[in-house]
Amino acid sequence: MGSGQWIMEKRSSLRNDSFSRDNDNVPETGCLSIIVLGASGDLAKKKTFPALFNLYRQGFLQSNEVHIFGYARTKISDDELRNRIRGYLINDKSAPGQSEQVSEFLQLIKYVSGSYDTEEGFQLLDKEISAHESSKNSLEGSSRRLFYFALPPSVYPSVSRMIKKCCMNRSDLGGWTRIVVEKPFGKDLDSSEKLSAQIGELFEEPQIYRIDHYLGKELVQNLLVLRFANRMFLPLWNRDNIDNVQIVFREDFGTEGRGGYFDEYGIIRDIIQNHLLQVRENNTDMKKVLCDEEVVLGQYDGYRDDPTVPDHSNTPTFATAVLRIHNERWEGKKQGRNEFVIRLQPSEAMYMKLTVKQPGLEMSTAQSELDLSYRQRYQGVTIPEAYERLILDTIRGDQQHFVRRDELKAAWEIFTPLLHRIDDGEMKPLPYKPGSRGPAEADELLSKVGYVQTHGYIWIPPTL
């Protein structure tokens, strides 16, 4: 679809949240109800239900304590919903016993139909949840209710009101009610703050889990361990040794039927403001500066040929932006460089580019690497999908991998002025060929801030 690329100086810090892994030691006595709102939609079928199934398959969700409720406007039966999602649950048909596990899991799912803005449907939903809780002999108020919003943000406020009015636990006997909301969290600072205020009036911050699935990716979660658990990095992770950090996102396909949706948001709203900004191990007390002169926008040739995209669309499918961090650790200093690469997807890997002697009789140099490739090093180990990890975190009450309201506000404060200038047509994307590195001006910008692409070097994933 497009590319988002940005370069920034970076600081690592552990988050200080209301909940931590210590909550794993707190006994959970009540039964667990997981309610998937928007159960008949694509997100639920392709991501939410498969993640729940994998948690069930691995023993994190027990059939004697959990029940899953699907809720949507579509009028279908329990079995019709089960049949809709069955095909998305089996990813390895040769796995022994998986078909039986799928059937057992599907029996845990019950469907309730209703609207998103009236009480009748949510009262029926509450009745079904309460019946499940009674069947498990859970004390009133001791059960756990997790509502997953696989919905467009436009209905978040009304759904939140209905849950608050009709579906909360009746008393506080160790149980809880939590909501998981998907991105996009608004389109700019004002709309994001309005949405946060509407939800915040109904739920406390520890009850709200703003999910960004990039924070659940294995290599993103490895960043803190890499940074703080390896003594070699302690004296190096600062301005004296790191010139810049690049976070690069590329896709090798076009809009493919999503042109209407993508054109409403663009690459900055869809990828950079949320996913990529979160990868930097967020710390909201850092002052980050973004200038128009250090932004290059692009739109690939043929983007407007999509019939769902307006003929005169100004939406960027590519962006390179430089963020500068002003604090003592990262105020700039330039020296010679090596490159340390963390590859999030596909083919997860970490490798460091080193200058070595070229094999042979001549004293010539070449670039090589120190390489940790997950596919080779961790053979037979299944890397969990991001949604599996994050849903499990919500059940455990662990918010460290979710977006706090102050983080969300800080992210929108950085990008909203730029986005408004793009929306008003004051900044125009430059054309570039699909599949290329983007506009040549992007590489020129990176050169100006100190990064020069290494030509002639290609990382080759190791073979087993």
Side-chain angles (χ1 to χ4, degrees), residues 83-102:
N83 290 333
R84 286 189 180 196
I85 65 178
R86 183 185 296 271
Y88 295 96
L89 304 183
I90 301 177
N91 52 26
D92 185 357
K93 295 182 180 179
S94 64
Q98 190 170 93
S99 294
E100 183 179 342
Q101 286 181 317
V102 168

Side-chain angles (χ1 to χ4, degrees), residues 360-425:
L361 297 175
E362 300 296 328
M363 184 54 70
S364 57
T365 61
Q367 283 211 313
S368 186
E369 66 279 316
L370 294 175
D371 192 337
L372 167 62
S373 291
Y374 274 52
R375 189 177 299 172
Q376 182 184 50
R377 176 64 179 83
Y378 301 111
Q379 297 181 37
V381 176
T382 301
I383 297 176
E385 289 291 330
Y387 281 95
E388 297 171 35
R389 190 191 313 272
L390 295 176
I391 290 174
L392 185 59
D393 282 347
T394 64
I395 296 171
R396 291 173 168 172
D398 183 351
Q399 287 190 306
Q400 67 173 314
H401 300 125
F402 292 81
V403 183
R404 297 195 310 261
R405 182 174 177 176
D406 58 341
E407 294 179 31
L408 182 61
K409 181 180 179 181
W412 280 118
E413 285 175 341
I414 294 170
F415 285 102
T416 291
L418 171 64
L419 289 167
H420 284 177
R421 285 191 284 276
I422 296 172
D423 293 342
D424 294 340

Side-chain angles (χ1 to χ4, degrees), residues 118-128 166-167:
T118 60
E119 295 181 20
E120 183 180 2
F122 283 90
Q123 288 171 344
L124 177 59
L125 176 62
D126 181 67
K127 181 180 178 181
E128 295 290 349
C166 304
C167 299

